[in-house]
Amino acid sequence: MAETNPGRLSWRAGGDALADIEQRQLFFIGGAPRSGTTWVQLLFDAHPDVCCKGEGLFPHHLEKGLTRIVEEWRQALSQKNNTLFRQSGGYQLPDDEDVDFLLATGILRAFNRQCRGGNYSAIGEKTPENVFLFPRLKRLFPHAKFVGVVRDPRDALTSALHIFYKAARNEGHDASPMDFILHSLGPMIQGTKAMLALCSQYPSACAIVSYEALIADPKTSVSRLFDFLGVESTSNIVDACLAKTAFSSLSGGRAPGEGRNSEFFRKGVVGDWKETLTPEMNRVILDAMGEWFPFFGWKS
């Protein structure tokens, strides 16, 4: 009898585990950076029946990397087929379905790893740039759900200025704050359009929550999110999740409004843009994204 290697991957067992994960309620969170996506992820993860981590970086590395690898493979095979194996026909080329299959498999393996064997009914992940991948994820996982997180872009960009812009300046980049805002607005607009398009096409599979709603009425907002996933939303569970993810808990004891620009959980308030942005910056942002303000309830 051949020896077995206990460290060797069992393809059958691995496939069965991924099939089990795929049957759970999968979901993905996306939104502009500094819009509250991490807070929403932590709220979900605090629920006893939900496993939600971040950031898996599926759009950054897994999708782009697999697309590049399969395309390079396809080109190499095509070259061989057209030269050495021109007479015999060569090898069949991979196609886009190969990328989809590998991407879906990679995501399911990541979900299986993050759950650590827990019997969660809902499994999700948060990467802000997921919004650009929402349509493909919907195709790969038809029963998946999608949570878009939005925030007044002036507050989101204010927070980004304090976190990302200052870090870039410390690394020697010379862009002005206005340049940073102009560079950031393009992806924000594209992400918002992608989110709204998916919600319009699949309304039952999408939920949008705003940072402002989470601040103004956290219990109602969180209850709706839990209901959206189909997990319990009793008052005790919602209260426990909110307590665990309160700004004071996440920031090491600071109260909302007690800012610390070097910290990821920086200030936790609405309207902070008024202390940072110039009138010209405000006008630029309103010109670019003002059409969505009434829809999301933001005041210009």
Side-chain angles (χ1 to χ4, degrees):
M1 180 180 294
E3 292 185 5
T4 59
N5 181 353
R8 185 179 180 183
L9 175 64
S10 168
W11 296 105
R12 177 170 295 178
D16 290 344
L18 298 194
D20 176 67
I21 292 293
E22 199 275 336
Q23 294 300 310
R24 316 285 181 92
Q25 179 57 72
L26 306 182
F27 67 100
F28 300 89
I29 302 169
R34 310 304 299 171
S35 63
T37 56
T38 298
W39 186 13
V40 172
Q41 175 248 310
L42 292 171
L43 281 163
F44 277 126
D45 199 51
H47 192 288
D49 206 23
V50 180
C51 178
C52 183
K53 306 299 180 183
E55 299 177 0
L57 303 182
F58 301 146
H60 295 77
H61 300 286
L62 197 57
E63 185 207 25
K64 290 181 180 178
L66 288 172
T67 300
R68 174 182 53 80
I69 289 170
V70 171
E71 179 56 31
E72 290 174 356
W73 182 25
R74 177 165 39 215
Q75 291 179 10
L77 289 174
S78 180
Q79 183 179 12
K80 284 279 188 179
N81 291 348
N82 292 328
T83 54
L84 294 179
F85 303 120
R86 185 171 61 252
Q87 304 300 326
S88 60
Y91 202 84
Q92 186 172 354
L93 302 182
D95 55 28
D96 291 343
E97 288 190 8
D98 290 271
V99 182
D100 283 349
F101 186 87
L102 292 170
L103 177 58
T105 301
I107 291 173
L108 290 174
R109 276 188 57 79
F111 281 169
N112 187 47
R113 183 166 50 248
Q114 80 178 40
C115 289
R116 299 178 181 271
N119 191 30
Y120 302 98
S121 66
I123 304 170
E125 177 270 351
K126 179 276 298 185
T127 297
E129 289 79 5
N130 277 345
V131 289
F132 302 113
L133 199 57
F134 275 177
R136 192 169 194 173
L137 292 169
K138 177 63 178 171
R139 187 173 73 250
L140 298 182
F141 307 109
H143 71 283
K145 293 191 174 183
F146 301 86
V147 179
V149 185
V150 298
R151 185 182 188 182
D152 185 325
R154 296 169 299 185
D155 272 339
L157 287 168
T158 292
S159 185
L161 279 169
H162 287 293
I163 301 294
F164 303 133
Y165 172 73
K166 289 189 176 180
R169 293 281 289 180
N170 291 337
E171 294 175 3
H173 297 284
D174 294 328
S176 68
M178 179 62 87
D179 289 335
F180 178 86
I181 288 174
L182 291 171
H183 178 76
S184 301
L185 278 171
M188 291 181 75
I189 292 169
Q190 294 172 17
T192 303
K193 288 181 177 178
M195 183 192 311
L196 292 174
L198 190 76
C199 289
S200 176
Q201 189 173 3
Y202 303 102
S204 64
C206 299
I208 294 178
V209 62
S210 73
Y211 186 90
E212 292 78 16
L214 283 166
I215 292 287
D217 192 355
K219 290 194 68 168
T220 299
S221 299
V222 173
S223 294
R224 288 174 177 168
L225 288 175
F226 290 168
D227 289 340
F228 172 67
L229 278 193
V231 296
E232 282 194 80
S233 59
T234 63
S235 182
N236 287 342
I237 288 178
V238 171
D239 287 344
C241 293
L242 285 169
K244 187 174 181 180
T245 61
F247 180 81
S248 59
S249 299
L250 298 175
S251 66
R254 285 183 288 122
E258 187 181 340
R260 188 173 296 172
N261 291 336
S262 61
E263 299 291 335
F264 183 84
F265 299 103
R266 191 183 70 87
K267 204 167 186 178
V269 296
V270 171
D272 189 47
W273 66 269
K274 298 173 185 177
E275 300 181 13
T276 300
L277 301 184
T278 66
E280 184 183 8
M281 292 174 179
N282 180 42
R283 177 187 58 77
V284 166
I285 296 170
L286 288 177
D287 287 346
M289 300 190 68
E291 64 181 287
W292 290 306
F293 273 51
F295 181 81
F296 293 125
W298 303 324
K299 295 181 179 179
S300 57

